[in-house]
Amino acid sequence: MAPRSRRRRHRKPPSSVAPIIMTPTTIVTPMPLTPSKPGPSIDTLGFFSLDDNVPGLSQLILQKLNMKSYEEYKLVVDGGTPVSGFGFRCPQEMFQRMEDTFRFCAHCRVLPSGLSDSKVLRHCKRCRNVYYCGPECQRSDWPAHRRVCQELRLVAVDRLMEWLLVTGDFVLPSGPWPWPPEAVQDWDSWFSMKGLHLDATLDAVLVSHAVTTLWASVGRPRPDPDVLQGSLKRLLTDVLSRPLTLGLGLRALEIDVRRIGGSTVHVVGASHVETFLTRPGDYDELGHMFPGHLGLRVVMVGVDVANGFSQSTSTSPLEPGTIQLSAHRGLYHDFWEEQVETGQTDHPDLVAAFHPGFHSSPDLMEAWLPTLLLLRDYKIPTLITVYSHQELVSSLQILVELDTHITAYGANPFMSLKPEQVYSNPNKQPVYCSAYYIMFLGSSCQLDNSQLEEKVDGGI
């Protein structure tokens, strides 16, 4: 943590920029990215950290995906290279190669290249997800694996069904909410509201040619319809978790989305997770959460923003009911000085960071510190999400040390319901995207360290 004397100071906030009137559909602005000074990439750090648990795993992944370097891999996740350009001869080869990237012994961590001629990696027959080099390793690992086997079975199905999002064969259903927005407080009420119409939509996907082709190509039995429908629902919550979590923040922080000029949300630390494959319509549910809103502009800012999004500095008005998505590649405090302070883009009503990870790495903390201080000093309503209770505790402690005024934190009612497997440590408890949230506004935190620890330990 940087000492207080070295923290970056910011000028007084500029006067508000001219209001924007925002076309009742979501718009993704297709203009070239203008990169700012790059910072530490959480994508890069995450990829090479795979080797910490399984030496050589990063190279195995590149080899199986027909890539010569990480830079080539990064071009794909950034949207710069189409998936069709990998050189796979058929879907069967593609799915086999993708599955091969998970082939290492979960107990002794040996890769296929390290096996003797008499050994072969075989997956657990229950979850079809975790691999072992022999019965001895599987027996030794069972006490750890039994705790996560059922969840990893869901992961294995979701990993394949997710391909339907890549190809566009699973389009998220959306439409005006028939219920009052205040009646939709979590996924249970959201699914109840969607009711039979959603079930019919998912059933139509399951009988489609795309799903038949998918399961004919993966080399394993097709699961029962209820299993596949459950997977589609989890995938749906994974995509919609982000816009609905933004809505949660707008609600909780009482931001007026019906004021003239509309409202602006900045998503900071955005990466390919928030931007790769994001389509017009993915954020429509955010608009349905606030019927009658006068425009919502969502700007993704981060060093790992995917191609296809753009730096959009236009302040031209949009019609009420519009949600506009755009992006800027770079660090947020640089974006603030270059775009916000100069009036080229709007001052945010809310800033959100999905899984910033500043608790996990000194490099990431150093990169995030100017942004966190900026948000604190300018008293910008801020929402942060994390994967787990442990990350929640660590992140809260850092924010307390920075004297932020924490206004709320807890379990996110719109967290993703799709379990995420830890790639290089498959028997670690799966996590869920945006499982917890933290909101803060300005400085002078009302909880000291001892009060915070007591409150967190007491439960959310």
Side-chain angles (χ1 to χ4, degrees):
M1 189 74 62
R4 185 182 298 274
S5 61
R6 294 178 58 193
R7 292 181 187 170
R8 178 173 177 165
R9 295 186 177 275
H10 302 282
R11 296 188 293 277
K12 294 280 283 184
S15 57
S16 58
V17 195
I20 297 178
I21 302 175
M22 301 206 164
T23 320
T25 49
T26 306
I27 302 169
V28 179
T29 314
M31 294 160 44
L33 279 161
T34 303
S36 295
K37 179 183 176 182
S41 163
I42 196 167
D43 288 348
T44 305
L45 293 173
F47 184 82
F48 287 109
S49 70
L50 297 175
D51 293 337
D52 294 342
N53 279 335
V54 185
L57 181 56
S58 63
Q59 288 304 309
L60 174 70
I61 293 171
L62 295 176
Q63 174 195 347
K64 294 299 181 180
L65 298 182
N66 289 338
M67 297 176 187
K68 297 177 182 177
S69 66
Y70 173 76
E71 288 69 29
E72 218 177 317
Y73 172 86
K74 190 71 169 65
L75 274 175
V76 175
V77 298
D78 282 349
T81 300
V83 177
S84 60
F86 288 175
F88 298 126
R89 292 167 294 182
C90 59
Q92 289 86 345
E93 181 187 8
M94 179 189 70
F95 285 115
Q96 183 60 60
R97 288 294 193 103
M98 291 171 65
E99 184 62 27
D100 285 347
T101 66
F102 292 88
R103 287 181 183 269
F104 60 88
C105 180
H107 185 67
C108 71
R109 304 294 197 259
V110 68
L111 296 172
S113 58
L115 292 174
S116 64
D117 293 340
S118 61
K119 287 191 172 183
V120 63
L121 288 164
R122 300 186 187 279
H123 59 63
C124 167
K125 292 182 179 179
R126 294 177 180 86
C127 67
R128 305 183 70 93
N129 193 334
V130 171
Y131 287 83
Y132 296 101
C133 64
E136 292 181 4
C137 274
Q138 187 167 9
R139 280 194 297 270
S140 299
D141 207 48
W142 178 240
H145 182 62
R146 69 187 303 173
R147 297 194 299 266
V148 296
C149 187
Q150 181 58 33
E151 276 184 285
L152 293 183
R153 179 175 175 272
L154 302 181
V155 172
V157 176
D158 293 348
R159 192 157 66 223
L160 296 171
M161 293 294 284
E162 201 165 16
W163 184 246
L164 300 174
L165 290 172
V166 176
T167 59
D169 291 302
F170 178 31
V171 178
L172 300 180
S174 187
W177 288 8
W179 289 11
E182 59 273 14
V184 183
Q185 297 291 328
D186 52 25
W187 285 123
D188 285 342
S189 51
W190 188 89
F191 278 111
S192 295
M193 176 186 67
K194 293 295 182 178
L196 295 176
H197 177 71
L198 175 61
D199 290 340
T201 301
L202 300 182
D203 288 342
V205 174
L206 295 182
V207 298
S208 67
H209 177 71
V211 173
T212 301
T213 302
L214 169 67
W215 286 97
S217 303
V218 299
R220 63 174 59 180
R222 174 173 173 159
D224 293 336
D226 60 330
V227 174
L228 296 183
Q229 187 182 86
S231 179
L232 290 178
K233 287 183 175 180
R234 290 191 296 275
L235 294 176
L236 187 152
T237 67
D238 191 54
V239 177
L240 294 183
S241 174
R242 288 184 285 276
L244 292 181
T245 298
L246 294 181
L248 176 74
L250 292 170
R251 272 181 181 173
L253 293 162
E254 299 181 340
I255 294 167
D256 183 9
V257 297
R258 295 194 181 192
R259 63 179 177 81
I260 295 175
S263 304
T264 298
V265 177
H266 291 170
V267 177
V268 300
S271 70
H272 75 278
V273 175
E274 290 82 20
T275 55
F276 185 46
L277 300 178
T278 297
R279 293 180 169 88
D282 286 0
Y283 277 70
D284 284 355
E285 286 297 289
L286 176 59
H288 300 321
M289 200 173 188
F290 299 96
H293 72 84
L294 297 183
L296 293 167
R297 189 185 298 273
V298 180
V299 185
M300 315 279 186
V301 184
V303 297
D304 291 314
V305 166
N307 293 325
F309 272 77
S310 71
Q311 175 182 355
S312 177
T313 58
S314 171
T315 55
S316 57
L318 298 173
E319 294 182 12
T322 293
I323 300 177
Q324 185 187 66
L325 304 181
S326 60
H328 177 95
R329 183 173 291 165
L331 296 171
Y332 186 68
H333 54 272
D334 293 331
F335 169 77
W336 182 276
E337 293 181 353
E338 297 164 8
Q339 302 290 325
V340 179
E341 288 191 344
T342 60
Q344 295 183 57
T345 194
D346 297 301
H347 191 282
D349 299 285
L350 173 71
V351 167
F354 296 109
H355 314 112
F358 53 73
H359 68 285
S360 63
S361 159
D363 287 340
L364 286 174
M365 185 62 224
E366 182 180 356
W368 270 97
L369 186 59
T371 291
L372 293 172
L373 297 179
L374 182 154
L375 297 173
R376 182 199 68 184
D377 295 345
Y378 278 77
K379 298 182 180 179
I380 299 169
T382 302
L383 165 72
I384 290 173
T385 71
V386 295
Y387 284 109
S388 67
H389 187 269
Q390 181 180 354
E391 288 190 15
L392 174 69
V393 174
S394 300
S395 300
L396 282 169
Q397 289 171 341
I398 290 171
L399 293 172
V400 166
E401 290 176 16
L402 294 179
D403 298 326
T404 60
H405 178 197
I406 298 169
T407 60
Y409 62 91
N412 181 7
F414 291 111
M415 68 180 239
S416 169
L417 302 181
K418 172 177 167 280
E420 299 289 341
Q421 179 179 352
V422 180
Y423 209 126
S424 61
N425 192 3
N427 284 324
K428 189 173 182 179
Q429 187 68 41
V431 295
Y432 295 82
C433 291
S434 298
Y436 295 91
Y437 67 85
I438 304 169
M439 300 183 197
F440 70 83
L441 177 61
S443 59
S444 301
C445 180
Q446 296 174 350
L447 298 176
D448 63 29
N449 277 298
S450 60
Q451 290 173 317
L452 181 64
E453 183 177 355
E454 190 174 291
K455 188 167 182 179
V456 171
D457 289 343
I460 301 302

